[in-house]
Amino acid sequence: MHNYVRLIGIDVGKKRVGIAQTDLLKTIASTVGTFSPEEAITEIKKITDKETVEKFVVGWPLSLKGEEGSATQMVQEFINKLRQAFPNIEIAKVDERYTSNQARDIMIKTGIPKKKRQQKGRVDQIAAAIILQNYLDTNT
């Protein structure tokens, strides 16, 4: 029997955290949902209770010039909470510049109506899937 493992992609925002996960073969990222920062840890725990999770892939919000700022500090605090809650799961930081724009482009191309595109939570979970898919495409 195979021991399949998943990766979890995380897009951390001030108010919402988008979560995505890979399929069991680690080829495709799909959205899980959008949660408050507190709920996100609980939701990730639900996934890790059911599945073996190899790694968290967290969007690292650099400025357009590639510099760290207040957003990276906020994400680092979330990463610290992840480390406390899941000490045995590796964490990878991935440059997330442009992922929100990519998420909006995907929603337009797939025909999601403007009203639904304006729901920020939808952008967050698609951004989490993009972060995870970019990681898969460059690291597997």
Side-chain angles (χ1 to χ4, degrees):
M1 184 170 157
H2 296 284
N3 185 15
Y4 292 111
V5 294
R6 291 186 191 269
L7 304 180
I8 294 178
I10 303 170
D11 179 43
V12 180
K14 279 191 178 84
K15 296 179 182 166
R16 287 173 297 273
V17 176
I19 299 176
Q21 66 183 2
T22 60
D23 61 327
L24 294 174
L25 297 174
K26 291 190 283 189
T27 54
I28 298 170
S30 58
T31 62
V32 172
T34 307
F35 308 90
S36 72
E38 299 77 30
E39 291 172 329
I41 298 289
T42 305
E43 190 61 32
I44 293 167
K45 179 128 183 55
K46 286 181 193 171
I47 297 168
T48 60
D49 285 347
K50 287 188 281 190
E51 310 277 353
T52 303
V53 173
E54 177 185 351
K55 189 178 292 183
F56 297 127
V57 179
V58 181
W60 193 241
L62 298 172
S63 71
L64 295 180
K65 292 180 178 175
E67 297 164 349
E68 295 183 359
S70 60
T72 50
Q73 190 174 347
M74 176 193 64
V75 173
Q76 186 59 55
E77 288 168 14
F78 188 86
I79 287 172
N80 294 345
K81 289 178 188 165
L82 272 179
R83 279 212 175 95
Q84 281 182 323
F86 310 97
N88 299 321
I89 299 176
E90 188 183 338
I91 298 171
K93 296 179 197 169
V94 175
D95 182 353
E96 68 165 31
R97 283 178 286 182
Y98 312 113
T99 54
S100 290
N101 291 337
Q102 287 177 292
R104 286 188 192 93
D105 289 346
I106 287 170
M107 289 193 291
I108 291 166
K109 287 177 184 157
T110 56
I112 293 173
K114 187 172 186 181
K115 199 166 197 136
K116 287 190 176 177
R117 289 199 310 262
Q118 290 171 335
Q119 296 169 354
K120 181 71 173 97
R122 203 173 279 262
V123 173
D124 295 333
Q125 59 185 299
I126 293 172
I130 292 168
I131 289 164
L132 187 52
Q133 192 66 53
N134 288 347
Y135 181 84
L136 288 173
D137 293 346
T138 55
N139 292 282
T140 54

